[in-house]
Structures are given as C-alpha cells and as structure tokens.
Amino acid sequence: MARSKTFLFECLRSEGLSTRPRYPSMPKYPKGSVVTSAGRDDPEAGANGMMAMALFSVIGMTCAACASSVEKAIKRLPGIHDAAVDVLNNRAQVLFYPAFVSEEQIRETIEDVGFEAALVKEEVRERSTLLCRIHIKGMTCTSCSGTVESALHGVPGVQKAIVALATEEAEIRYDPKIVSADKLMEAVEDTGFEAILISTGEDRCKIELKLDGPCTEWSMRVIEKSLQALPGTEKVIIDPVFNKVSISYKPDRTGPRNFIEVIESSGSGCLKASLYPEGGGNESHRHHEIKQYYQSFLWSMVFTIPIFLTSMIFMYIPGIKYGLDKKIVNMLSIGELLRWILATPVQFVIGRRFYIGSYKALQHGSANMDVLIALGTNAAYFYSLYSVLRAATSTKFEATDFFETSSMLISFILLGKYLEVLAKGKTSEAIAKLMNLTPETATLLTYDKEGNVLDEKEIDSRLIQKNDVIKIVPGGKVASDGLVIWGQSHVNESMITGEARSVFKRNGDSVIGGTVNENGVLHIQATRIGSDSALSQIVRLVESAQMAKAPVQKFADHISKYFVPLVITFAFFTWLSWFLAGKYHSYPESWIPSSMDCFELALQFGIAVVVIACPCALGLATPTAVMVGTGVGASQGVLIKGGQALESAHKVNCIVFDKTGTLTTGKPVVVSTKLLKNMVLCDFYEYVAAAEANSEHPLAKAIFQYAKRLRGEENHVWPEARDFISVTGHGVKAKVGNKEIVVGNKSLMMNSGIHIPVEASELLAEAEQMAQTGIMVSVNQEVIGIIAISDPLKPGAQDVISILNSMKVKNIMVTGDNWGTANAIAKEVGIETVVAEARPDQKAEKVKELQMSGFTVAMVGDGINDSPALVSADVGMAIGAGTDIAIEAADIVLMKSNLEDVITAIDLSRKTFSRIRLNYLWALGYNIIGIPIAAGVLFPFIRFRLPPWLAGAAMAASSVSVVLCSLLLKNYKRPKELETLQIKEIMVE
C-alpha cells in the first residue's frame, strides 16, 4: 500500500513529487472532522465535512515521471486533500472530500493520464507494529545491556529489541495487540534496572501540565472527567503528589491551550494550569545521574581521605603514629578501629549500588562490572574486618588491614563513572542543539470573520496547536512547520537542510520550524506540531541512528559474555598461585613487605586482578563513536541511519550514480530548436506546447515553459489537444486542430511508422554528443523539427568524481536516459563505465552484479525508480531533494543535495571506524597488559606491584579514555579538497 508522505522530506526537496496541501483554495471543513476510509461506502460522509481515503491500483507506471503525472492529475481535481503515488507497488492513495469529488472521477482521471486504474476495496489496516523507546537506568557494561535485550526478546509480541549502553535506551518494535508498553517496562524492571518510558510509538502527542492552587480530591476528579470529555483526548493521568496532569491527545482535534482553559474553568475556578517545567527526557535523567555520581564521590572522599591519611601518611609522623598505634582492646589499635568505622559507610552505604547491581546481574545468570567491584572490595573489607576482630580477641595477633584499599577503590570507581557519564553526555550534543533550534515563544494571531487581525498574543511555543496562525518577524525563528498565508520573505533553512542559500517564501509555500526569517514579515498556519514536525523527525532519525548497533559491536558483545567469569577465575588462580608459592617458600621471604604475610600479598594480587579488568571500555568502544559520528554527520547535513550504514560506508570502493537529479540539476531546459521545414518558430511551438501541456514529464515541462517564454504571454490560450496519449518513456501523441502531433524520441517515431530523415538523425546524434536530449516533433506523419534539451551538470560534479577516483573509489553511471546523452554526460564528469536505458529493476541488477564481483557498492540516487537499487546496494545514499520513497529506502540522506556530501559521508565513516579501531585497541590492550601486571608478572623481576586502589583507578580511567577518544570526532573536518571545491563554487557564483 502506498504510504502517506512525510512533511520532513516535503520540506527538504526542491522539486519532484510534491505533497504540499494547496492553500487557500482547499475546501474548508469543520474543526474536529476526521479522515475515514468509510467515506467511500457512505454517500453522506462528505455532507458533514469528513474526508475519505481511497486506494487505487495503477497499472503501467514505470518511473518517477509516471508517478508524478498521476499525482498532479489527481491533485488538479476539486476536493482533493492529498495524494501519494507509489510506483513500486503500483498504488495511489488519495485523501478527498466526497462532497466535491467521487472515487469514480478520480479513477477516470488516472485513466485519462494513460494508465489503467481500479479501486482497491480492501480497508486500510491498522499498523500492526509500534516502536517503543525506554530509558534504562543502572546499566554499567555490555553484560547489562545484553541481559535486558535478552529479556525483551523473550516477551511475546516483541519483534525486535535493541538496547544501547551508550545512550542507556531501549528501542523495541512490538505488536500492540499482543503486548503493551507497560508490559515491556515490567520486563526491563524484572531484570533489575529502572525503566522510564520515553514514547510508545502511538500516533498521539503528550503534554504535562502543572496545577497551582487548592487541589482537592473532588476538584481532581472534575478536572479528569472534563479533560476526558474533550474530543481528541486519549488518556489523562493525574499525579496528586506533584499536582501534575499528563494528557495524551490527537493534535488534529485538540491541544494544550484547550486543556488549560478546561482546567481553569472546572471546579471552583481557583486552579491555574501551566506547562510543567521542562525536565523530562533523556537529558534530565543524564543530569540526575551526573549529580548522583558526583555527590556519591564527594561523600566517599569525606570518609576515604581520613582512612588514607591514617594508613599512608600519619604512620610516618612520630607523635600521631604513637596515638594511632595505642591499643584499645587486646591488640586492636585506635587507628585500626578508626579506619573500620570510616570504611563501613563507604562499603555498605555509598557502595550499595554495586551490591544491588551484582545481585540483580547474578539473579539473571550474568556477571557484570558491579560483580567485579563488589568481589574486589568485599575481599579487602572482610579480610580487614577478620584481622581487626582477631586482634581485638587476641593478645598476640598483629592486625594488618586493607580498609584503605576497599574505600579508595570505591572512591576512584565513582570518580571514573562520574567522568564517564559527563563525557557520554557530550556525545549526544548534536541532538540537544537540534532540539534547541525552535524558539521558546511565538506570536499567536487572532482573526475576525472578515480575515482581519484582531489580536496578537505571545505564547509558549509548546502551546501552538494545529491550524494556529503565527506571526514571524524579520530575524525571528519559525515556531512551527506550516504554510505561508500572508507576506513574503527569504528564509534561511541551513540549520535544518544544511543548504546555505536563503529560500524565498510567499503565499502557499511551506516553512520549517526552527528556520530563520530574514527580511519580511510572515503569517504562517501551523500544519505540523510536536512530534510530527520536520525537526522532530530529524531528531528521531538521529536518535534511531545512535541506537542502532554496528555489526562490529557484536565482537564486544560476544567477549562480554565470558569476560567477567574468566577474570574471576584468573583472579582466584592468581591468589592461589602466590599463596601456595609463599607457603612452600618458592620465592624469598624478602619479597614479602614487612606489613604483610604471604596470604595477604597473594590477596592483594588477586584483588588487583579483579578490579583492574574493565568490561566497560569494550562496551563503550563502538556506541560512543557511532553516537558522535552520526551527530557530526547531522551537523554537516549528512543523515546517517545508524551503525550499520556507518560500517558499510567506510568499506565502499564502488559508487553507482543516477544521472538526472543526481549528477545533473534535474531541471532540463530547451537549448536549441532545429526546423526541417520553413515555418514560424512560434507556430511550431503552438502545436508542440498544446500536445505537451497535459504531460507531467520533466522534458515536457521544459518544452512547455520554453514555449510560454517564446510567446511572452503568461495567460496565452493554447489550442485544445484531443485524443491525448502518453507513451511511457517515449513521448506523447495528440490531435491539435486537424493535425496529428507526435512529440518524442526516435523509438516513438519508428513505432508510429514515421519516416526519420537523415538530417533529423544527424541532428539527434549532434545533440547527444553535446550531452543533450533530442526530441523529435512530427506533424501528420512528417518530422518537422528537433528540440535539443539540456539538463546541466551540478556544480563541482567533475571535481567530486576526480576526488573519489583519488580515494580509490570506482565510479559508474546507471541511467534510464539514452546511450548518446549518457555517454556525453559521463565523459564530461570523468566516469568511464556507463549503463544507459536501464529500467529500475536493471539498476538493481547492476548493483548486485558489482557486489558479486567483490565490490562494496554505494548507490546515489533521487528518484522513485532508484529505490530498488538503493535497497540492493550496501549503502544507499539519497539526495535530500529527491522523493520520499528514495529517502526512506536509503541508508544515508544527503540533505543539502550536494554531491560533495557523498565524499563527506564516506570520509566521516572512515574516520569514525578508525576511531572505533583505536578504541578497541585501547580497551583490549589495556586489559591484555593490565591484568598480567596486576597479577604480578613483573614482581619477580623488578619488584613492581600494582596496589588494588591504583588498579581501580586505572580501570575507571580506561572507560573514560575510550569515551574521550570518541569525543575527539567532534573536531572532524571535511577533506581539504572539498573546502577548496566550495571556494571555487562560490567564486563561480
């Protein structure tokens, strides 16, 4: 079934299949009317202003031009709200007002364009899957994320679940008929982690309001019932503790200002409602986590510093040493008792999180970083406790405690986690910057019945509702996606599309929320708000990209399953080996420090092994780099859909380019006309324009526009064309007056039995050699002229191909155009391999053929006919100004529609994976080198021993260093050749 087109890509493209509603000629319909597919079975549905939806099967479409002609023809009918045509599935989906147009009229219109159409009677089905996002608190390593992921996969109705350690989020695709979002949260919490719902994936907006005033149980009930009675309200949850109301609603039918009005007028009227202070979302959880770790570290240091001083420093100051060594009970000294008292709250109160994490992990049959920390600190603490208690009950036993080891371990690990969370927060700055693009306030306009402005009111931009009219002053930010209904101005859309040039906007043009109005005043009608806005969709795309796991991450996930058990086993054998060696005097007693015995020395080695091992660094190596890489890409106008796309892009060694709209501008123009008979040029174009007026093909539009300019009359009345026939991919036939007109390529003339003179063939060949498309025109079975049409190359296309060649990337052009034009264009840009006159399926076959030859293939295209090849390629790159279907099929979207961004995408992916390799090198190298040193391999040779507290500090530093290494990607610079190319383009302009 053809899907509705998204507003995001409608805003990004400059041409192609437009889905923009026509304003203001659209028929009005009452507020609260709904779209229903039942309208086609109910003849009275249109009487009350309701829209209906019809699905048609369209046979005969072969390319984007076909789909465009069908769509434009449908939209010219009265009462059409929107239409989307899917050439791949041969479907057309139409939203219309039955009071103005019928399904039969729509079907006949499609057939008039030249295609076979039939109404599909099946009802539009509900979505069978939703995408739920959950924030998960408490995960420390890949073992934790793996446990949660396995638990979610085990829930009936879950189709796919991804748990990302770096973002601490889960993305679950599920069937709402089988399982609910609440059940998914329960599954997460059953694994021992805290779950906070971000979104359920349902088509509804959600807002939180704060109540000020006397909140009684009666007033709360009245408010709840009043809100639920509003049309469009789906769910109301009242939190009496925080005086908070959460409302889920349909933005087409109601909005936040309605809720505030209802609350303030309900009950006694003493309550005031306002938007709940912003603090929800991932950022607030991140700030809370940072604050928690910071406070825990500070409290830990309050106790740890005295422990460190009494065990390491004061023991060398005679007066203080005497006081600390003074015995209280038997051999128990003041210093030992003091360290015990100070270490206990660090171990069991501040370090409680590690016990909880260990218990939950072991409960589910896994072992994570918390297990290692708890094991190491418990070994040090409880041995010290045993030593202290034995000294208190003995007159001869000399106690040796390691309380400083356990407390310093916990302190350093908390410091490391604090720095890690702080650094991880910076990896998602790209999303934060995008979300901050929308202004905080907006100017709401109120109109009277005559359309005059009655009032201007400044409101919070979050209170904007659908169909509101907002005033945008020069220099102000556009507060919402919408349509211009008054005024004209230039709007800078670079913050959304990445395109530096300002775009002229006037009545009926669409604008994107977050863009900047430069000169004139604009009145816009809000069409997309909240989660439906272009900015929100870009944010969701980047968030999904950061959630997606790169295949290389499987390596870390596989290691994490066995890492902790292996470390614990190795630590046990380390302790046992050193203890037995000391017991049987396998090494000199002089090796044992004066404050220890062989058991304690072995215990120190064992603890050091446990705490130096770091599974976190391995788990963070890939996701942090992917997060930063996709964020940097978004800021450069390159939207990368996840780790899979990044990993594939860095291997690309062959790129397949489409021609029209990709290598060329996609805006053909008539460059010359050669007549084979003596006649006036205006008369010649009178016939041609009349025939081409009904065609929506880009070449036909170029001819028609040229004919209009030639006439110099904007409203010139062209002769009527009868018996119009569009021959897909070849041209058109029509009767104009008493003459039979055929306009098209050589194949159409031959198939129509028209003789092609030698002169015409020579003119066609000349045009093709100059990278132009030759169109033949015949009148009454006689060729009378050749029209040469050129589609100019995009600026810098030759340089881009040259740079790609220098990067050892093979370049191929695959196009549906004729061989002559294709070869000329390829020669001009520097591409050696060309495939012309290729259908969509043949483009995909060429991609597969290259893959079979051992190439990692990227496909760059913009049209519907490119989407099969985009899907087949290892990496699909869609031009941002292209069609929605192409963009949906692609792995990478080039929002600026610049060919240079192909190089940026490949170069950025290479830099990102270089960083991932460096991260793995550090994480693995750290463990491979650090664990043996902690086990004491250097001790027999140079007497170097790693104290457990220092091993803990090293472990904390390792994960922080991996995150910081990924953060260095934020300094990414495009290749120097691209900067030089950009300067050249500016100079040319």
Side-chain angles (χ1 to χ4, degrees):
M1 182 186 303
R3 56 175 182 76
S4 297
K5 301 192 173 186
T6 61
F7 184 68
L8 164 63
F9 299 120
E10 167 190 306
C11 296
L12 296 183
R13 64 179 182 257
S14 60
E15 61 177 359
L17 304 184
S18 172
T19 60
R20 189 180 69 202
R22 289 172 292 170
Y23 184 92
S25 60
M26 285 300 301
K28 303 285 184 186
Y29 57 99
K31 188 176 181 180
S33 63
V34 297
V35 178
T36 170
S37 59
R40 61 172 175 263
D41 298 320
D42 181 5
E44 297 180 0
N48 57 16
M50 295 177 71
M51 278 193 290
M53 180 162 60
L55 185 65
F56 295 89
S57 166
V58 184
I59 307 301
M61 297 187 297
T62 59
C63 64
C66 303
S68 179
S69 61
V70 171
E71 186 175 307
K72 295 287 176 64
I74 293 171
K75 285 185 174 180
R76 278 198 290 264
L77 290 170
I80 299 297
H81 178 72
D82 205 354
V85 181
D86 180 357
V87 72
L88 297 179
N89 295 306
N90 296 315
R91 297 288 178 98
Q93 184 173 292
V94 186
L95 291 176
F96 66 102
Y97 297 91
F100 294 86
V101 66
S102 68
E103 290 163 337
E104 183 59 25
Q105 286 175 298
I106 297 171
R107 188 190 66 78
E108 288 175 358
T109 299
I110 297 172
E111 293 196 336
D112 287 343
V113 180
F115 302 99
E116 185 180 338
L119 181 68
V120 178
K121 290 293 184 182
E122 64 180 17
E123 294 295 328
V124 179
R125 297 179 182 176
E126 285 182 38
R127 277 188 296 175
S128 58
T129 60
L130 293 176
L131 196 67
C132 173
R133 289 176 60 227
I134 299 173
H135 178 74
I136 303 170
K137 296 178 69 175
M139 296 191 298
T140 57
C141 62
T142 48
S143 179
C144 303
S145 58
T147 300
V148 177
E149 202 169 281
S150 298
L152 287 169
H153 277 128
V155 177
V158 171
Q159 298 168 359
K160 186 180 180 182
I162 300 172
V163 179
L165 175 64
T167 57
E168 295 181 331
E169 286 183 13
E171 195 173 82
I172 309 117
R173 193 170 294 279
Y174 68 104
D175 188 340
K177 297 173 185 174
I178 301 175
V179 65
S180 66
D182 292 336
K183 289 289 184 184
L184 297 174
M185 290 179 67
E186 283 178 23
V188 173
E189 289 175 344
D190 286 345
T191 61
F193 301 98
E194 185 181 347
I196 301 166
L197 186 65
I198 298 174
S199 67
T200 61
E202 298 172 14
D203 274 336
R204 62 187 186 192
C205 290
K206 185 178 180 181
I207 194 166
E208 294 181 339
L209 300 175
K210 188 177 187 298
L211 304 180
D212 294 310
C215 298
T216 63
E217 189 177 340
W218 174 81
S219 65
M220 289 294 193
R221 278 203 305 270
V222 170
I223 287 169
E224 185 176 2
K225 291 184 181 299
S226 300
L227 289 172
Q228 286 175 337
L230 280 176
T233 301
E234 301 225 327
K235 191 176 182 182
V236 179
I237 300 173
I238 295 181
D239 186 342
V241 178
F242 296 101
N243 291 340
K244 181 170 71 173
V245 182
S246 300
I247 309 158
S248 299
Y249 64 98
K250 292 180 179 178
D252 286 341
R253 309 196 65 189
T254 188
R257 293 204 308 282
N258 296 347
F259 304 140
I260 291 173
E261 185 181 339
V262 166
I263 290 170
E264 293 182 349
S265 60
S266 297
S268 60
C270 299
L271 284 174
K272 293 291 180 184
S274 58
L275 288 167
Y276 204 77
E278 289 210 63
N282 199 24
E283 275 305 303
S284 65
H285 301 313
R286 182 84 68 191
H287 289 310
H288 179 66
E289 191 177 16
I290 289 170
K291 187 178 178 182
Q292 272 191 331
Y293 275 118
Y294 181 67
Q295 290 178 343
S296 297
F297 169 68
L298 288 184
W299 277 110
S300 178
M301 291 307 291
V302 167
F303 295 100
T304 300
I305 289 172
I307 296 172
F308 174 77
L309 292 174
T310 58
S311 61
M312 301 285 191
I313 306 298
F314 293 160
M315 298 309 293
Y316 299 99
I317 303 174
I320 301 177
K321 182 180 186 305
Y322 173 78
L324 292 172
D325 285 343
K326 193 172 182 180
K327 308 301 181 190
I328 304 172
V329 180
N330 291 329
M331 296 298 290
L332 178 64
S333 68
I334 292 175
E336 289 159 355
L337 180 63
L338 187 62
R339 287 192 290 274
W340 177 24
I341 293 169
L342 290 169
T344 300
V346 177
Q347 184 71 33
F348 299 107
V349 180
I350 297 168
R352 180 171 172 265
R353 66 174 70 238
F354 302 119
Y355 285 100
I356 294 171
S358 302
Y359 171 73
K360 290 173 178 177
L362 294 171
Q363 193 178 29
H364 291 88
S366 65
N368 59 9
M369 189 194 77
D370 289 334
V371 173
L372 294 178
I373 295 169
L375 192 63
T377 56
N378 276 340
Y381 179 86
F382 283 107
Y383 176 77
S384 302
L385 179 60
Y386 158 77
S387 181
V388 166
L389 293 176
R390 186 173 173 188
T393 56
S394 172
T395 56
K396 295 180 181 180
F397 182 78
E398 283 282 349
T400 302
D401 67 88
F402 300 128
F403 287 121
E404 80 286 347
T405 296
S406 62
S407 58
M408 287 176 74
L409 262 175
I410 289 172
S411 298
F412 277 115
I413 288 162
L414 288 173
L415 174 62
K417 292 301 290 181
Y418 166 69
L419 294 174
E420 180 188 318
V421 174
L422 204 62
K424 280 199 310 191
K426 293 185 181 295
T427 60
S428 56
E429 279 184 355
I431 290 178
K433 286 178 181 177
L434 282 171
M435 295 178 75
N436 290 333
L437 286 175
T438 48
E440 293 182 0
T441 59
T443 303
L444 178 67
L445 300 179
T446 306
Y447 285 82
D448 60 15
K449 293 181 180 178
E450 284 74 35
N452 301 314
V453 176
L454 281 179
D455 185 36
E456 293 185 10
K457 181 182 178 183
E458 191 171 272
I459 61 169
D460 190 305
S461 61
R462 291 175 292 165
L463 291 176
I464 295 174
Q465 298 180 185
K466 193 168 183 181
N467 296 321
D468 280 347
V469 178
I470 307 297
K471 178 182 177 182
I472 315 296
V473 297
K477 286 185 177 181
V478 178
S480 167
D481 293 354
L483 294 173
V484 177
I485 63 171
W486 181 88
Q488 57 185 28
S489 177
H490 284 85
V491 176
N492 185 343
E493 298 183 340
S494 61
M495 60 286 298
I496 303 293
T497 65
E499 179 56 61
R501 298 180 186 87
S502 297
V503 182
F504 182 69
K505 302 289 183 180
R506 60 186 173 188
N507 192 10
D509 288 338
S510 60
V511 289
I512 313 172
T515 54
V516 177
N517 180 25
E518 292 191 337
N519 35 41
V521 176
L522 295 175
H523 292 182
I524 68 159
Q525 185 178 42
T527 55
R528 300 290 194 281
I529 60 171
S531 59
D532 289 337
S533 69
L535 191 58
S536 295
Q537 292 187 46
I538 292 174
V539 168
R540 278 203 300 274
L541 183 60
V542 177
E543 284 177 335
S544 295
Q546 294 183 343
M547 282 289 299
K549 290 183 179 179
V552 72
Q553 196 173 336
K554 293 176 183 177
F555 172 69
D557 293 344
H558 184 72
I559 289 177
S560 67
K561 292 179 183 178
Y562 311 102
F563 188 84
V564 175
L566 282 173
V567 168
I568 293 171
T569 304
F570 186 68
F572 173 76
F573 281 109
T574 297
W575 167 80
L576 186 63
S577 301
W578 278 104
F579 175 64
L580 293 177
K583 198 75 174 172
Y584 293 105
H585 307 290
S586 299
Y587 59 81
E589 287 190 14
S590 60
W591 287 14
I592 304 174
S594 57
S595 59
M596 301 182 190
D597 59 21
C598 65
F599 174 83
E600 291 162 349
L601 178 65
L603 185 63
Q604 289 265 314
F605 282 125
I607 293 171
V609 168
V610 168
V611 298
I612 200 170
C614 185
C616 293
L618 274 171
L620 293 169
T622 297
T624 53
V626 169
M627 282 180 71
V628 179
T630 51
V632 168
S635 67
Q636 297 271 355
V638 178
L639 293 184
I640 303 168
K641 298 180 181 180
Q644 172 75 59
L646 262 177
E647 182 163 349
S648 298
H650 95 280
K651 301 174 185 174
V652 166
N653 53 13
C654 178
I655 298 181
V656 176
F657 288 95
D658 174 45
K659 181 182 76 70
T660 307
T662 302
L663 289 172
T664 64
T665 60
K667 299 176 181 177
V669 291
V670 174
V671 291
S672 68
T673 308
K674 298 291 184 182
L675 300 178
L676 304 182
K677 287 189 68 177
N678 290 322
M679 64 185 302
V680 178
L681 189 62
C682 286
D683 293 341
F684 171 80
Y685 271 104
E686 191 84 0
Y687 293 120
V688 177
E692 293 282 28
N694 294 318
S695 176
E696 291 293 338
H697 195 282
L699 297 181
K701 288 167 68 177
I703 294 172
F704 188 73
Q705 290 300 319
Y706 183 78
K708 284 174 66 177
R709 286 197 301 273
L710 200 62
R711 276 287 174 188
E713 301 173 23
E714 186 64 32
N715 298 316
H716 178 73
V717 179
W718 303 96
E720 182 186 357
R722 305 184 316 273
D723 301 335
F724 175 82
I725 299 172
S726 175
V727 183
T728 304
H730 296 280
V732 298
K733 297 179 180 180
K735 283 187 178 180
V736 179
N738 60 351
K739 300 183 184 297
E740 290 185 6
I741 310 297
V742 180
V743 183
N745 59 18
K746 193 173 183 178
S747 298
L748 180 61
M749 299 297 163
M750 293 172 67
N751 293 336
S752 303
I754 299 171
H755 172 69
I756 301 173
V758 175
E759 187 181 357
S761 297
E762 289 174 351
L763 289 171
L764 279 179
E766 279 179 30
E768 290 173 0
Q769 285 173 5
M770 298 170 67
Q772 298 167 357
T773 301
I775 303 295
M776 306 180 78
V777 179
S778 82
V779 176
N780 292 336
Q781 298 290 301
E782 182 184 3
V783 175
I784 64 168
I786 306 293
I787 301 172
I789 299 176
S790 173
D791 187 2
L793 279 178
K794 281 188 174 177
Q798 299 99 323
D799 295 303
V800 168
I801 299 301
S802 176
I803 294 169
L804 285 170
N805 286 331
S806 69
M807 294 170 66
K808 309 297 184 197
V809 176
K810 181 181 176 67
N811 297 294
I812 296 173
M813 187 174 78
V814 180
T815 177
D817 209 339
N818 64 73
W819 278 98
T821 305
N823 283 323
I825 290 287
K827 185 178 180 181
E828 193 173 346
V829 296
I831 293 177
E832 295 180 0
T833 308
V834 180
V835 177
E837 299 178 9
R839 297 190 307 271
D841 57 323
Q842 290 173 328
K843 290 185 179 183
E845 284 171 12
K846 181 61 182 177
V847 168
K848 291 173 183 174
E849 180 187 317
L850 289 165
Q851 289 169 329
M852 292 292 288
S853 301
F855 288 104
T856 300
V857 182
M859 171 70 195
V860 185
D862 72 321
I864 292 175
N865 55 342
D866 296 324
S867 48
L870 287 168
V871 173
S872 300
D874 297 286
V875 181
M877 296 187 189
I879 298 296
T883 62
D884 290 352
I885 294 174
I887 288 169
E888 287 292 318
D891 302 300
I892 297 175
V893 181
L894 311 178
M895 293 175 65
K896 292 184 284 188
S897 301
N898 289 341
L899 279 179
E900 301 97 274
D901 288 337
V902 173
I903 297 170
T904 302
I906 294 173
D907 185 66
L908 177 59
S909 66
R910 290 180 179 180
K911 295 277 174 56
T912 302
F913 264 78
S914 173
R915 194 68 56 181
I916 288 172
R917 290 191 195 98
L918 191 61
N919 284 348
Y920 274 127
L921 185 65
W922 167 250
L924 287 171
Y926 161 83
N927 284 297
I928 290 169
I929 296 170
I931 291 175
I933 290 174
V937 294
L938 299 179
F939 191 70
F941 308 104
I942 58 173
R943 304 292 181 277
F944 177 79
R945 179 173 60 86
L946 199 64
W949 64 268
L950 191 58
M955 184 206 74
S958 67
S959 53
V960 174
S961 63
V962 163
V963 178
L964 291 176
C965 184
S966 295
L967 279 173
L968 289 175
L969 267 174
K970 291 177 73 176
N971 301 321
Y972 169 79
K973 301 290 183 187
R974 298 200 312 165
K976 290 181 181 178
E977 296 91 342
L978 289 185
E979 302 303 328
T980 307
L981 177 58
Q982 193 171 23
I983 293 169
K984 282 169 61 180
E985 287 177 10
I986 293 171
M987 289 176 68
V988 169
E989 290 176 6

